[in-house]
């Protein structure tokens, strides 16, 4: 460290330079020498000789080093050189000689107490990833900090310009008050440093827990999974008393020089491409999105395909209705399909609201809302505990000759499609036993919430926005109409539903994509707007996904991203184990891990995807039983992963989206998510679409074949940049050996959009490797 070197007067005649170690690619540039002036040989030589062009160095905080101070890692806190000398170099805990650190060695060489000689304005930096981890309260490699790192370095032209040169006000605009606070403390050296010792890294703290608590109400904070919410993430909506009246038309609204309303989806306004959409800080809406946001229809249906900006439009529409006097915050309800979706949507809305309005808008699931109503009316009842339901299903299913899972599906289907009841006498009796046991204990199950809840007569919510409308069941639709009241949508903006019938995949639980037709019967009719631009996937991925549908009878989707992107890779492997090994090898190459070892090929170098993190990768499958071989292969390679269950309503909620891990997901659980790199495995006849051994056609409702196609479409459209499809020529599953014939979906993909490795390459058996082998 410069100041440590300047304790030795013999170095006063020397210019100090600094460089990063090359063995950690992500740390390159973290230590550097600042040269001011032209990069010529003569200028460089003059600077290195201590000339005026030498502007100082960029440094680690020396306390971060693993051997900065003295001590024993197992015996207690570190010791300063003076403390070590006072102890005679002996550990007071174990009595053995202390491990001596770098600062102690420097103190032995030093011939003065304070740094002297020619001192330059050397800057100590806290790496941006570590600072973001402190802002999020998570590990630096977690999904939220990693994604925010990408966005911020793109915004400021790199990590060093952000840390060294960016204006504090710009930092706060881009990332919130905590980013500004952390960078200012770092620049001024006002950090808390705990020195490393005996092989343990030290810690440098710029953001403390109390800082996060103090900033919690300031609006533009870093939220899990997204960059700090910039003002431009939300459209600049004027207050009703300002430039626009509450009855302004969308055309008038657009004419008032709103920079977020471009003329078309390709408009390069605000210096951003359409790919920088939604959570990636797109500062404007395209034409269709703007029409949806500013529609004054009493009932509006927005058909939003994958990557179409569904959440962005939903949030902005709520804000537009509030700011233009068409809705009062306390009367606005936003409903989502899962708790995770509600947790993601709420902070995006809150960041654009005033402190007074923020707590008055309710963002919840329909089931969560129904639970509120029921508890208010029947406080002595409650939702049945999971262990009680599991035991009850076992007891009720046995006499009917059913498995607990099969009975649970029958019960849920009966409740979501009333007045449907099992036709067979035994299942019908099991349902009666089940319901009687719930009533005896004053319990509701999950589906009872929707069936039994009665909204208050005073209609607390007069503006209702519904996310993922295509996944509603008839029972949920009836609850929604009860919520609207007998008059239905009775004023501008009263009802907004948004979703995509092409992504309706929960028919086996009662969801009905045809429910949108019932909206036409509401008083005042229905206005429909289609969002046909995909801001997520490359053109190749989108065109391959769209090829699953007939070319007529549905709106065509178009890609906003300029690049075509690589073709889909379809690989045939000999076994499920070979399939797992292939996936691990490919994702390892894309992560660049092979580049850290010896012998990486030119092809592997070309596959490296800069900026790819574990959390950007997903492996999808139709059945959860296909996941364990992947988990085993990833574990053997030393790669972090997480796997969800198959329960579609709650499975994704069980995953930790702040963890930087590869996600192993059923296709159902992947709904609503996106990843840079996606593998869809088991694309085989009988598995995708799924058929039980005794089936000839898929089992789902009301249109089983179409639902399986929609499910595969959901799987493909989770991918942003790269997409792989794999199948095994032979697979053991549930005690049977399956011949891996290609799925009809495999053959339906246009050959010109696919890259199929030669069979010899794809079928080559692979030895299990660790990261050290790779």
């Amino acid at each position: 460290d410069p100041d440590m070197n300047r304790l030795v007067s013999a170095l006063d005649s020397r210019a100090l330079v600094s460089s990063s170690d090359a063995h950690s690619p992500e740390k390159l540039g973290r230590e550097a020498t600042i040269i001011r002036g032209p990069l010529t040989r003569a200028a460089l030589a003059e600077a290195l000789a201590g000339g005026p062009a030498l502007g100082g160095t960029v440094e680690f905080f020396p306390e971060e080093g693993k051997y900065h101070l003295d001590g024993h890692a197992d015996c207690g806190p570190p010791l300063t050189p003076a403390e070590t000398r006072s102890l005679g170099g002996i550990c007071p805990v174990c009595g053995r000689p202390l491990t001596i650190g770098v600062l102690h060695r420097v103190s032995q060489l030093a011939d003065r107490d304070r740094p002297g000689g020619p001192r330059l304005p050397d800057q100590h930096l806290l790496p941006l990833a570590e600072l973001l981890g402190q802002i999020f309260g998570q590990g630096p490699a977690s999904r939220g900090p990693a994604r925010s790192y990408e966005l911020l370095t793109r915004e400021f032209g790199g990590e060093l310009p952000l840390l060294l040169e960016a204006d504090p006000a710009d930092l706060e605009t881009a990332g919130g008050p905590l980013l500004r606070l952390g960078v200012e403390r770092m620049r001024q050296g006002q950090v808390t440093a705990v020195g490393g010792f005996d092989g343990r890294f030290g810690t440098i703290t710029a953001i403390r827990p109390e800082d996060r608590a103090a900033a919690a109400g300031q609006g533009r904070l870093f939220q899990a999974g997204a960059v700090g919410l910039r003002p431009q993430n939300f459209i600049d909506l004027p207050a009703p008393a300002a430039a626009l009246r509450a009855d302004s038309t969308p055309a008038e609204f657009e004419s008032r020089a709103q920079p977020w309303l471009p003329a078309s989806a390709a408009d390069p306004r605000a210096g951003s491409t359409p790919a920088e959409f939604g959570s990636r800080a797109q500062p404007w809406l395209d034409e269709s999105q703007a029409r949806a946001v500013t529609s004054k229809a009493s009932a509006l249906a927005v058909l939003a395909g994958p990557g179409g900006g569904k959440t962005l439009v939903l949030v902005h529409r709520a804000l537009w209705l509030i700011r233009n006097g068409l809705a009062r915050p306390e009367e606005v309800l936003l409903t989502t399909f899962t708790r995770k979706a509600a947790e993601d949507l709420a902070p995006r809305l809150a960041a654009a609201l005033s402190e007074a309005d923020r707590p008055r808008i309710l963002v919840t699931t329909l089931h969560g809302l129904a639970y509120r109503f029921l508890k208010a009316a029947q406080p002595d009842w409650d939702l049945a505990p999971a262990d009680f339901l599991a035991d009850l299903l076992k007891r009720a299913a046995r006499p009917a000759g059913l498995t607990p899972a099969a009975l649970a599906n029958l019960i849920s289907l009966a409740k979501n499609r009333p007045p449907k009841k099992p036709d067979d006498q035994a299942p019908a009796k099991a349902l009666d036993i089940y319901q009687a046991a719930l009533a005896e204990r004053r319990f509701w199950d999950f589906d009872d919430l929707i069936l039994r809840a009665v909204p208050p007569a005073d209609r607390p919510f007069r503006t209702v926005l519904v996310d993922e409308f295509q996944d509603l069941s008839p029972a949920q639709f009836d609850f929604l109409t009860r919520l609207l009241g007998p008059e239905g949508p009775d004023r501008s903006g009263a009802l907004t539903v948004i979703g995509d019938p092409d992504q309706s995949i929960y028919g086996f639980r009662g969801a009905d994509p045809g429910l949108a037709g019932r909206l036409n019967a509401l008083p005042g009719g229905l206005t429909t707007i289609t969002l046909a631009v995909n801001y997520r996937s490359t053109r190749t991925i989108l065109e391959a996904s769209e090829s699953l549908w007939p070319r007529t009878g549905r709106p065509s989707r178009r890609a906003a991203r300029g690049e075509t992107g690589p073709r889909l890779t379809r690989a045939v492997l000999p076994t499920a184990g070979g399939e797992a090994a292939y996936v691990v090898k490919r994702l390892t190459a894309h992560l660049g891990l092979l580049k850290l070892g010896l012998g990486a090929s030119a092809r592997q170098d070309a596959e490296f995807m800069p900026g790819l993190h574990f959390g950007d990768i997903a492996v999808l499958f139709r059945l959860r039983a296909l996941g364990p071989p992947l988990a085993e292969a990833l574990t053997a390679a030393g790669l972090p992963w997480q796997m969800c269950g198959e329960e579609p309503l709650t499975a994704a909620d069980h995953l930790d989206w702040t963890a930087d891990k590869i996600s192993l997901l059923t296709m159902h659980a992947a709904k609503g998510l996106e990843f840079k790199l996606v593998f869809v495995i088991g694309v085989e006849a009988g598995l995708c679409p799924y058929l039980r051994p005794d089936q000839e056609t898929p089992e789902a409702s009301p249109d089983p074949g179409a639902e399986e196609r929609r499910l595969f479409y959901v799987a493909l459209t989770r991918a942003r940049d790269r997409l792989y499809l794999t199948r095994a020529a032979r697979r053991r599953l549930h005690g049977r050996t399956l011949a891996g014939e290609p799925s009809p979906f495999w053959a339906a993909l246009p050959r010109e959009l696919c890259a199929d490795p030669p069979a010899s390459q794809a079928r080559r058996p692979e030895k299990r490797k660790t990261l050290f082998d790779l």
Side-chain angles (χ1 to χ4, degrees):
D1 186 74
D3 280 353
M4 293 166 68
N5 279 278
R6 292 307 181 198
L7 293 173
V8 182
S9 61
L11 298 178
D12 288 353
S13 62
R14 304 291 182 179
L16 298 183
V17 298
S18 188
S19 300
S20 298
D21 290 337
H23 59 69
S24 301
E26 74 280 5
K27 293 183 173 62
L28 285 174
R30 192 170 157 185
E31 294 205 337
T33 302
I34 300 172
I35 307 293
R36 307 194 187 281
L39 289 179
T40 64
R41 185 179 184 279
L44 183 61
E46 180 184 352
L48 295 182
L54 182 63
T57 60
V58 176
E59 304 287 344
F60 284 92
F61 281 92
E63 292 86 354
E64 283 192 272
K66 293 193 293 183
Y67 292 94
H68 182 68
L69 296 176
D70 308 335
H72 286 157
D74 295 333
C75 294
L79 302 170
T80 66
E83 291 170 330
T84 298
R85 285 191 289 269
S86 70
L87 293 169
I90 301 300
C91 177
V93 176
C94 69
R96 293 180 292 115
L98 289 163
T99 301
I100 301 303
V102 174
L103 186 61
H104 193 121
R105 298 299 189 193
V106 170
S107 71
Q108 292 174 333
L109 296 171
D111 56 4
R112 53 191 173 205
D113 296 332
R114 296 178 181 274
R119 301 185 64 195
L120 295 172
D122 305 295
Q123 177 65 61
H124 291 87
L125 296 185
L126 178 63
L128 180 58
E130 294 182 19
L131 177 58
L132 293 175
Q134 293 176 21
I135 290 172
F136 277 81
Q138 301 167 5
S142 297
R143 188 177 182 87
R147 194 166 202 178
S148 297
Y149 180 93
E150 280 189 57
L151 297 174
L152 288 168
T153 52
R154 188 183 310 152
E155 173 80 15
F156 289 93
E159 180 173 355
L160 289 180
L162 184 154
L163 295 175
L164 290 171
E165 302 167 355
D167 184 271
D170 293 339
L171 291 173
E172 182 165 357
T173 298
L178 292 182
L179 180 64
R180 174 176 182 164
L181 177 64
V183 171
E184 287 183 330
R185 283 178 174 169
M186 178 207 71
R187 291 176 181 176
Q188 297 162 12
Q190 297 175 350
V191 297
T192 301
V194 177
F197 68 108
D198 196 24
R200 290 189 177 181
F201 283 107
T203 60
I204 307 298
T205 303
I207 299 296
R208 297 177 285 273
E210 56 266 31
D211 297 322
R212 289 195 296 271
Q218 297 186 33
R220 296 190 305 279
L221 296 177
F222 283 78
Q223 303 291 343
V227 75
L229 299 172
R230 309 162 51 110
Q232 67 187 43
N233 284 77
F234 297 90
I235 53 182
D236 185 16
L237 299 171
L244 294 175
R245 304 184 309 276
D247 60 352
S248 298
T249 66
E252 290 173 330
F253 191 83
E254 181 172 357
S255 69
R256 301 301 176 88
Q258 297 296 324
W260 49 272
L261 290 174
S264 69
D267 194 320
R269 216 171 294 188
S272 177
T273 65
E276 301 301 317
F277 179 75
S279 64
R280 292 180 294 283
Q282 174 174 325
W284 46 264
L285 303 175
D286 68 33
E287 184 178 2
S288 297
Q289 293 166 347
R291 286 195 293 112
V293 166
T294 60
S295 172
K296 305 193 77 174
S298 57
L300 172 68
V302 182
L303 305 182
K310 175 173 58 67
T311 303
L312 190 76
V313 168
L314 197 66
V315 170
H316 288 1
R317 177 150 179 78
L319 296 174
W320 187 82
L321 293 170
I322 293 169
R323 303 274 179 85
N324 283 276
L326 300 178
R328 299 171 59 187
E330 64 271 19
E331 295 179 343
V332 174
L333 168 70
L334 274 75
T335 73
T336 64
F337 191 58
T338 65
R339 294 190 304 274
K340 179 184 181 297
E343 292 166 359
D344 289 345
L345 192 152
R348 299 176 70 173
L349 180 62
L353 290 170
S354 69
E355 194 75 37
D357 290 341
R358 192 172 302 148
R360 293 192 286 166
I361 294 183
L362 179 62
V363 182
T364 184
T365 62
L366 281 178
H367 290 86
L369 180 66
Y371 180 78
R372 289 178 179 228
F373 292 160
L374 281 172
K375 282 297 288 183
Q378 298 175 280
D380 56 335
W381 283 62
D382 211 336
L383 193 62
D387 55 352
F388 172 83
L389 282 179
D391 181 66
L392 175 57
L393 284 168
K394 287 179 183 177
R395 289 187 284 111
R398 192 176 299 113
L402 298 170
T403 66
L407 178 59
N409 284 337
L410 284 172
I411 292 172
S412 183
L413 195 60
K415 292 184 177 183
N416 277 282
R417 288 195 176 157
K420 182 177 177 60
K421 194 172 183 178
D423 297 326
D424 295 340
Q425 184 175 1
K429 184 177 180 181
L431 175 57
D432 292 338
I433 294 172
Y434 171 89
Q435 208 60 38
L438 285 176
E440 181 182 356
R441 296 287 298 273
R442 296 179 177 269
F443 282 150
W444 308 295
D445 70 7
F446 194 63
D447 296 310
D448 284 333
L449 301 178
I450 295 293
L451 282 176
R452 298 175 181 274
V454 178
D458 59 356
R459 289 185 60 195
F461 304 109
R462 294 182 175 271
T463 299
V464 179
L465 301 99
V466 182
D467 192 14
E468 303 287 10
F469 179 75
Q470 78 282 344
D471 292 327
L472 264 61
S473 68
Q476 292 167 339
F477 183 89
D478 291 341
F479 175 68
L480 179 62
T481 56
R482 296 198 301 273
L483 194 63
L484 294 171
E487 303 86 2
D490 56 358
R491 60 180 180 177
S492 293
L495 175 65
T496 300
V497 301
I498 191 166
D500 182 12
D502 291 341
Q503 297 184 73
S504 179
I505 58 174
Y506 297 118
F508 62 92
R509 282 196 164 272
D512 184 355
L515 286 176
R518 292 178 60 182
L519 291 173
N520 289 311
L522 294 173
L526 179 71
T527 297
T528 301
I529 296 175
T530 299
L531 308 183
V533 180
N534 179 301
Y535 293 94
R536 174 187 299 159
S537 305
T538 63
R539 281 190 291 165
T540 297
I541 292 173
L542 181 62
E543 289 174 11
S545 305
E546 290 295 301
S547 70
L548 296 172
W549 305 108
R551 297 190 179 275
T552 59
R554 62 183 293 276
S556 61
R557 316 285 187 191
R558 64 184 188 277
R561 294 177 61 174
E563 71 272 30
T564 300
R567 291 182 292 172
L568 282 65
T569 300
R570 296 186 302 187
V572 183
L573 289 308
T575 63
E579 180 182 55
Y582 174 83
V583 170
V584 171
K585 187 170 184 178
R586 292 278 66 77
L587 68 85
T588 302
H590 290 310
L591 283 163
L593 298 180
L594 291 178
K595 295 166 69 67
L596 300 182
L598 299 175
S601 67
R603 180 175 63 83
Q604 290 163 347
D605 284 346
E607 289 177 339
F608 174 53
M609 296 172 62
L612 184 70
H613 298 276
F614 295 127
D616 297 321
I617 303 171
V619 183
L620 310 183
F621 31 81
R622 178 60 179 87
L623 296 181
R624 192 179 187 278
L626 272 61
L630 260 298
E632 181 181 349
L634 290 168
T635 299
L639 299 172
W641 57 271
Q642 58 182 346
M643 186 186 301
C644 77
E646 197 165 17
E647 169 57 59
L649 291 179
T650 59
D653 290 347
H654 294 163
L655 295 176
D656 179 8
W657 297 113
T658 66
D660 194 31
K661 297 180 179 179
I662 297 164
S663 295
L664 310 184
L665 300 165
T666 61
M667 295 178 183
H668 283 99
K671 174 77 185 313
L673 305 175
E674 64 176 79
F675 303 89
K676 289 183 179 180
L677 174 61
V678 170
F679 296 85
V680 182
I681 68 169
V683 189
E684 301 154 24
L687 293 180
C688 180
Y690 175 62
L691 296 174
R692 290 202 321 265
D694 58 341
Q695 284 182 290
E696 295 182 359
T697 60
E699 180 178 23
S701 209
D703 188 349
E707 178 151 319
E708 287 287 318
R709 184 178 298 270
R710 292 193 295 267
L711 183 58
F712 189 66
Y713 177 71
V714 166
L716 298 192
T717 54
R718 300 311 93 193
R720 288 173 51 189
D721 300 325
R722 293 293 297 261
L723 178 60
Y724 285 80
L725 307 179
T726 66
R727 61 183 178 91
R730 186 178 71 259
R731 186 187 302 273
R732 288 286 295 175
L733 188 67
H734 300 318
R736 297 186 303 134
T737 299
L738 306 178
E741 296 299 323
S743 161
F745 302 146
W746 179 287
L749 297 171
R751 296 187 64 179
E752 65 272 15
L753 298 179
C754 300
D756 297 346
S760 58
Q761 173 186 342
R763 292 171 181 268
R764 188 181 300 127
E766 301 202 23
K767 167 189 164 194
R768 181 179 299 170
K769 300 177 181 179
T770 68
L771 277 179
F772 298 101
D773 297 319
L774 295 174

